[in-house]
Amino acid sequence: MKRGKLARALVVGAALVTVGAAYAVLAPDNASGADGPQSDQVEQGRRLFAVSCASCHGLNAEGGTNGEGRDTGPSLIGVGAAAVDFQVSTGRMPAAQPGAQIPRKPPVFTVDEINALAAYVASLAPGPAVPAEESYDVSKATQEEVVRGGELFRTNCTACHNFAGRGGALPDGKYAPTLMTSTPRNIYQAMLTGPQQMPVFSDHVLLPEDKRAIIAYVVALQQRDDPGGFGLGRLGPVSEGLWGWLVGIGSLVAVAVWIGAKVPRVHRGTKDD
Ligand code: HEC
Ligand code: HEC
């Protein structure tokens, strides 16, 4: 009896899976016909979006609210492919649950799927495109570029991300994350799209070559090994404070020793006169 039921359920399940698979294989062909690979991609993105993103961002990415009228996700009209690529490739999206800040996590979509989602959102309204590889490829960066990037980084980024790119706390339980694991592509996109509290650094504010210099600098920081046990100053505000304190006390001690050593000599000097 029980077994018969189970078998029937299995047959029905298998049939459903087969129909679903057949639909998945056949539907794109029917839907897009001769429109070419581009609209195939947009269509694939639209379908992924409906399943994974629409619950918060609305079925047409117009933004969503829950039953109590609270926002569940902002409108994505005009955020551009770069914002989608950044948010999904860093695993921030799809968000799991609301919170002060949506953390990065391993991405849940493949590169193809991310491209499709980005193409779909970009098809809704113009917005920043995913940057071309040569605009963030810093494998051949010169030393001058790294130095210039360091200056730009200190002017524009250290206030939130700390002078060594290790991140820092912001008000209301938010934080600027460490940049030590960010890819060059994501660094460019973060500047271009300004997630959360981060300002947008458009290509007019920071020219593409400025962005490249900053990326070259961050990559140099990532590659720089801590020499021996002196990583202290790069761990965040607390150890920075400690470091400052040690240096401060250290110099006070040095001055005291110096004065101590100096005074008798001065005395001797006046005696000799
Ligand atoms: C559980 C709800 C939820 C889901 C599901 C979700 N999002 Fe979001 N999304 C949010 C919220 C909330 C924000 C704003 C948070 C922030 O500012 O960091 C956001 C922000 C974004 C942004 C940044 C917009 C901007 O102005 O830069 C993009 C892009 C985005 N989501 C894309 C997606 C995509 C694509 C998916 C599906 C793969 C998705 N989201 C799934 C809630 C969600
Ligand atoms: C006002 C504070 C602020 C400034 C200034 C700022 N950022 Fe950010 N940045 C943030 C915050 C907050 C986030 C996290 C956003 C989120 O989680 O959605 C962030 C995220 C990032 C990320 C993503 C890291 C990751 O975890 O994937 C990168 C890369 C980045 N910023 C680079 C920069 C660079 C480069 C500059 C300077 C040109 C800069 N930021 C300036 C606040 C700032």
Side-chain angles (χ1 to χ4, degrees):
M1 239 333 236
K2 244 188 170 173
R3 246 205 211 159
K5 253 189 195 164
L6 183 66
R8 221 163 33 218
L10 280 177
V11 168
V12 171
L16 283 175
V17 168
T18 313
V19 170
Y23 179 78
V25 171
L26 296 174
D29 288 338
N30 295 343
S32 52
D35 285 355
Q38 189 120 36
S39 58
D40 271 0
Q41 199 184 34
V42 169
E43 179 56 24
Q44 187 201 354
R46 194 187 60 73
R47 274 185 285 134
L48 286 170
F49 192 91
V51 174
S52 304
C53 324
S55 59
C56 292
H57 289 288
L59 204 56
N60 301 303
E62 73 279 23
T65 49
N66 65 10
E68 294 136 34
R70 279 237 315 267
D71 287 351
T72 50
S75 162
L76 301 181
I77 309 290
V79 301
V84 176
D85 193 273
F86 171 79
Q87 296 283 342
V88 184
S89 69
T90 62
R92 287 181 167 81
M93 294 293 140
Q97 74 262 21
Q101 189 162 343
I102 295 156
R104 61 175 297 161
K105 55 184 185 307
V108 297
F109 289 105
T110 65
V111 171
D112 278 351
E113 289 168 333
I114 295 173
N115 290 343
L117 283 164
Y120 165 65
V121 169
S123 77
L124 302 173
V130 174
E133 189 169 346
E134 55 266 25
S135 56
Y136 57 82
D137 174 16
V138 293
S139 56
K140 295 190 189 69
T142 61
Q143 192 55 34
E144 292 86 77
E145 227 175 335
V146 173
V147 169
R148 206 170 68 81
E151 283 159 15
L152 289 165
F153 187 83
R154 282 185 286 278
T155 316
N156 295 290
C157 321
T158 48
C160 298
H161 288 284
N162 146 316
F163 71 95
R166 299 284 165 129
L170 297 173
D172 301 325
K174 303 196 173 186
Y175 57 90
T178 170
L179 306 181
M180 289 305 106
T181 54
S182 296
T183 63
R185 177 178 169 128
N186 283 153
I187 300 172
Y188 200 109
Q189 291 171 329
M191 291 189 269
L192 204 56
T193 63
Q196 284 244 348
Q197 247 87 333
M198 181 164 158
V200 173
F201 298 93
S202 75
D203 280 348
H204 304 291
V205 176
L206 278 179
L207 300 175
E209 58 260 37
D210 296 339
K211 288 193 172 72
R212 236 172 61 117
I214 290 176
I215 294 167
Y217 176 72
V218 174
V219 168
L221 285 180
Q222 291 173 344
Q223 289 167 351
R224 189 170 78 189
D225 279 333
D226 279 347
F230 266 113
L232 251 190
R234 302 211 254 137
L235 287 172
V238 172
S239 54
E240 262 162 44
L242 178 64
W243 186 231
W245 190 80
L246 284 176
V247 169
I249 293 289
S251 22
L252 283 180
V253 169
V255 167
V257 168
W258 180 76
I259 290 172
K262 191 105 183 146
V263 168
R265 236 193 316 177
V266 171
H267 273 289
R268 257 202 318 274
T270 44
K271 237 185 186 174
D272 287 352
D273 277 349

